[in-house]
Amino acid sequence: MINGQISFWMQDTAASARPERPPLDGDTTVDVCVVGAGYTGLWTAYWLRQALPDASILVVEARHAGYGASGRNGGWLSGKMIGLTRHMAEGPGGRQAVVELRRAAVDALDEILNIMTDHGTDVDAVHGGYLTIGRTPSELARLRATVAAERDWGMAEDDVRLLSAAETADRISIDGALGALYSPHNVRLHPGKLVTGLASAVEATGVRIAERTPALDIRPGQVRTAHGTVTARHILRATEGYTAQLPGRRRDMLPMNSSMVITEPLSEADWKTIGWSGGEALSGAQHTYFYAQRTADNRIALGGRGLPYRFGSRLDRDGRLDNWTIGQLEGVLRGLWPEVRFKLAHAWCGSLGVPRDWSPSVVWDQATGLGHAGGYVGQGVTASYLAGRTLADLVAGKDTRYTRLPWSGRTSPRWEPEPLRWLGSYAMYGLYRIADLSEGSTRHERTSTFARLADAITGRH
């Protein structure tokens, strides 16, 4: 089994055929400098080129395009809610702006796939929706509450509904499943193919991507890098889970760890046992949830939190995953399908950006020319597309559907200093694990007290 080396997606043959882009070769001046060549930075550059066709645009990236979460995620292009509704509705657009964000997320699925098709990129897309499985009475009760909340925010029966145990079994065989939430608004895809294809599409428009060019300092009008200083009127930061590595930004965004394993391809007999022929993305309704997909080459890629946070906002070493978390994720696979014998092919981890209020922001200051976008808390494949389009329209001075979304101009409070960040993260996930054990041992439908304590720590509910 391979451990680390960024991710399976980026080691996969089709995705690893990416070009080697040279670093910055000295001081340079451009109209717009984007820091970070993940989904957010690349989509920002893509839409900037549409909005400002004559502008010179440079993207600087510390490692290579897709090195961070964009090349390591679970491959969910999802129409799920982005951010916490109560925070997102606090802006000038109120409740209606949140409804519009959700509609924009649903629309983005086809928009992204159409752009990739136009640029000749196959991302292994299957528009199969997503399933969230309930295996205890408490989990099933939470799914009912989620469906009710979705109705309150404008989602109809065609958008999201609750499946019975029998309806769930018709789609996928999960040991002990009592039911599931189903929504058609999700596309399973190959994240590595998406980010490498997007980078090529951006370059084709005349945008330069300088790889192996870490930004050391960002200030109005200048980005100081390891290979020269970039002078630009507009500087847009798209660093998500890596934000804490920049000077003065350590408490802006918490780099939350997410971990994944992927199996060797399964046999026809195994798939007959499992079912899962509809291409749905899969997750669990427990507090320490998992997420998964059936890949185009008949593997199962499954992820979860593992060890949630490294003291001092430290990052992983090229995606290498600890043995405890590998064992935990392998245990999730065995628990879902005890009849199947799995062999793991690859394990990896990565960091996603978590703001203190668990809700994203897209900000641009006309006076300084500085802007940033991020804080998607696991919904970044779709959110980054919308955020990049929002940021590009803000810089271009346009009033559009995207600039009126509720993340425009909003800011999040800063995280607590250490050791409070580390203690809070581990207390939260420790309580969630205890809650799952507690709920699994009872037939009560109420949420465990331990989960409510964890929610109080995070402020998520």
Side-chain angles (χ1 to χ4, degrees), residues 84-95 98 153 357 406 410-411:
L84 299 184
T85 52
R86 73 175 187 277
H87 292 316
M88 302 300 281
E90 290 172 351
R95 181 184 181 87
V98 178
W153 288 94
D357 59 3
R410 77 174 302 276
T411 57

Side-chain angles (χ1 to χ4, degrees), residues 392-436:
D393 284 351
L394 287 171
V395 172
K398 296 183 175 182
D399 178 18
T400 67
R401 172 191 192 184
Y402 304 97
T403 61
R404 292 191 294 271
L405 293 176
W407 52 24
S408 290
R410 77 174 302 276
T411 57
S412 298
R414 304 188 78 202
W415 281 91
E416 293 80 0
E418 295 289 22
L420 296 179
R421 286 200 305 278
W422 184 86
L423 290 171
S425 298
Y426 276 81
M428 174 184 69
Y429 277 99
L431 287 167
Y432 280 144
R433 290 189 180 99
I434 295 170
D436 285 335

Side-chain angles (χ1 to χ4, degrees), residues 93 144 155 259 384:
R144 290 194 201 99
M155 293 289 104
S259 306
S384 58

